[in-house]
């Protein structure tokens, strides 16, 4: 038996998120399980690293599964891609340690939140960016975003319904950049609470509009009160870019 | 009565091209006519600058129409966008000369053809780039593309079914650039024959694979024979970026 690690990219537009659900709901995990079970003739259920929400995209989510199949690990990528819809792609497949678990092993994750900031959003951008027509002050967003870096209690940046008991996380870096009309917020950290990146994006958008400041972010982190942070920005702007396991293959 | 000029962007994925067709086929022109007629209560039929093919995208196609409406020219953008599907956007609306005709006035057009050149195409790129998994030699493509610049008889770069009698066109500039895995071919010229940019792209892809050279392009231009050029590259890689009218508003 061997444990295979998949790096999975998807366009989240047409999926009810990553996690398999009852009742015929189409999810990325569900599609992967179907393709793998068809390929190996085994009953495969992958373990995913990140249960992305409905509409959220990924360039590098991670999934593992165990198989008796003799298909070489690196060939799973090709064999799966012919069985998967075009909006899900396995970018890499490789053998991993038998005890590697994508949610229990130490890692850092990088998310990107894209904002299209112009009067009108060009149609070819609409699926992968949140359209914000009010002109945002990117310098203010950059400055305020520094307050989030470091180890903090991010309780205020977590949607109701989260099961997390420990709400302390570390953000290693955050950047806000503008290229013509596109603003990109890139966040790297050791873990993220439910909707945390979308609430960070929603808060920084409020800062860009002059409705909130770095002081509000400080207060949110100190008090843990959700109302100091901004609203949850829409799913389509969010992409899980990369999950990096420091000590594991 | 006033003549209004619209700058129109669209994601061509779900349209049977620009041009209105009989039989309930969904086209960009058809959708624009519907939205305009609903808005003005007039029976409006726009005149488009470029009849893009099924699946081709646009950032700046041009359409004009005449109206008795008192809606200020620059407000049509907002009024139309609330009536149009999200994959068609009016980027600009303005009044123009009464004799301005988007196909009869001198202009230059810029097209971009995008190639995603890697083993696997990430899902979020799939709709707006042609996936080519064979590694392309971009330097060879750049060099060969120079043969196309200038005034030439582009008969060999024109699909059967074209009604053009005069097949002489001028390409002012062409560039081939690579950014990580994305190759962008940008062509600016005074006019383009049916499928001309897609055949140029298909030819340069053959050059990038080492199957054709600049000499084949020279021969294609000299003889007008279609077989010296490469195949027609897929529609999804093509975007009509800009139409620039030199002497008209």
């Amino acid at each position: 038996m061997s444990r295979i690690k998949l790096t999975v990219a998807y366009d989240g537009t047409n999926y009810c998120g990553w996690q398999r659900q009852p009742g015929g709901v189409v999810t990325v995990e569900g599609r992967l399980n179907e393709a793998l079970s068809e390929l190996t003739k085994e009953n495969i259920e992958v373990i995913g690293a990140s249960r992305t929400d409905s509409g959220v995209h990924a360039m590098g989510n991670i999934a593992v599964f165990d198989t008796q199949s003799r298909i070489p690990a690196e060939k799973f990528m090709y064999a799966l891609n012919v069985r998967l819809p075009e909006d899900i792609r396995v970018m890499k497949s490789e053998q991993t340690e038998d005890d590697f678990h994508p949610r229990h092993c130490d890692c850092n994750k990088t998310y990107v939140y894209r904002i299209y900031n112009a009067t009108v959003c060009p149609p070819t951008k609409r699926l992968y960016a949140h359209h914000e027509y009010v002109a945002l002050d990117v310098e203010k967003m950059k400055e305020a975003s520094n307050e989030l870096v470091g180890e903090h209690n991010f309780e205020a940046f977590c949607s109701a319904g989260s099961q997390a008991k420990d709400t302390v996380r570390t953000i290693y870096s955050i950047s806000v950049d503008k290229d013509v009309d596109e603003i990109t917020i890139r966040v790297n950290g050791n873990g993220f609470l439910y909707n945390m990146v979308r609430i960070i994006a929603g808060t920084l958008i409020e800062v860009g509009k002059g409705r909130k400041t770095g002081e509000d972010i400080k207060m949110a982190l100190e008090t843990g009160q959700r109302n100091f942070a901004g609203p949850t920005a829409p799913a389509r702007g969010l992409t899980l870019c990369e999950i990096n396991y420091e000590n594991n293959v």
Side-chain angles (χ1 to χ4, degrees), chain A:
Chain A
M1 207 208 54
S2 53
R3 181 160 287 196
I4 310 286
K5 178 186 172 196
L6 304 176
T7 304
V8 188
Y10 42 90
D11 175 341
T13 308
N14 297 317
Y15 294 95
C16 296
W18 172 271
Q19 198 171 9
R20 198 163 48 104
Q21 291 176 38
V25 173
V26 182
T27 67
V28 179
E29 188 185 34
R31 281 276 186 260
L32 269 179
N33 287 344
E34 282 165 27
L36 274 166
S37 301
E38 187 191 302
L39 175 65
T40 60
K41 318 290 179 204
E42 297 169 307
N43 184 23
I44 295 208
E45 297 189 1
V46 299
I47 300 169
S50 192
R51 295 168 182 145
T52 55
D53 260 358
S54 183
V56 172
H57 315 292
M59 282 296 281
N61 205 344
I62 299 293
V64 303
F65 63 94
D66 294 328
T67 181
Q68 310 272 7
S69 163
R70 295 199 175 181
I71 300 169
E74 65 279 10
K75 298 289 182 196
F76 272 97
M77 174 176 88
Y78 301 97
L80 286 171
N81 283 339
V82 297
R83 288 171 171 81
L84 285 166
E86 218 186 9
D87 54 4
I88 304 177
R89 290 289 94 175
V90 175
M91 304 303 284
K92 197 176 179 185
S93 58
E94 60 201 305
Q95 192 163 349
T96 185
E97 306 295 319
D98 289 350
D99 62 349
F100 172 71
H101 188 292
R103 284 201 300 279
H104 300 161
C105 293
D106 281 352
C107 71
N108 66 79
K109 296 181 183 180
T110 305
Y111 281 93
V112 157
Y113 196 90
R114 289 194 180 82
I115 302 159
Y116 200 88
N117 192 29
T119 310
V120 186
C121 183
T124 55
K125 300 287 183 184
R126 78 191 190 285
L127 299 174
Y128 313 116
H130 162 55
H131 178 218
E132 177 55 65
Y133 57 87
V134 177
L136 302 176
D137 185 328
V138 177
E139 289 310 312
K140 279 189 183 165
M141 294 168 72
K142 268 188 205 203
E143 207 185 313
S145 72
N146 291 326
E147 302 291 346
L148 295 158
V149 178
E151 186 183 83
H152 298 286
N153 180 355
F154 283 97
E155 195 181 351
F157 294 85
C158 177
S159 281
S162 164
Q163 289 158 12
K165 280 168 196 158
D166 178 9
T167 51
V168 173
R169 295 290 184 277
T170 300
I171 290 186
Y172 299 123
S173 67
I174 181 163
S175 64
V176 183
D177 293 297
K178 188 165 184 180
D179 180 17
V180 195
D181 293 329
E182 265 184 287
I183 298 170
T184 301
I185 302 170
R186 184 178 290 268
V187 193
N188 174 260
N190 69 348
F192 293 89
L193 301 167
Y194 185 47
N195 281 346
M196 182 166 145
V197 183
R198 289 168 58 189
I199 297 172
I200 288 174
T203 306
L204 291 176
I205 289 169
E206 291 288 281
V207 170
K209 289 178 179 172
R211 290 189 196 155
K212 285 197 183 287
T213 65
E215 284 304 307
D216 294 293
I217 294 178
K218 263 190 195 167
M219 285 298 287
L221 293 171
E222 278 170 23
T223 64
Q225 285 176 30
R226 178 73 185 81
N227 60 313
F228 282 109
T232 306
R236 62 170 66 183
L238 186 62
T239 301
L240 168 58
C241 287
E242 199 183 353
I243 304 177
N244 181 32
Y245 293 93
E246 287 142 8
N247 308 312
N248 295 75
V249 178

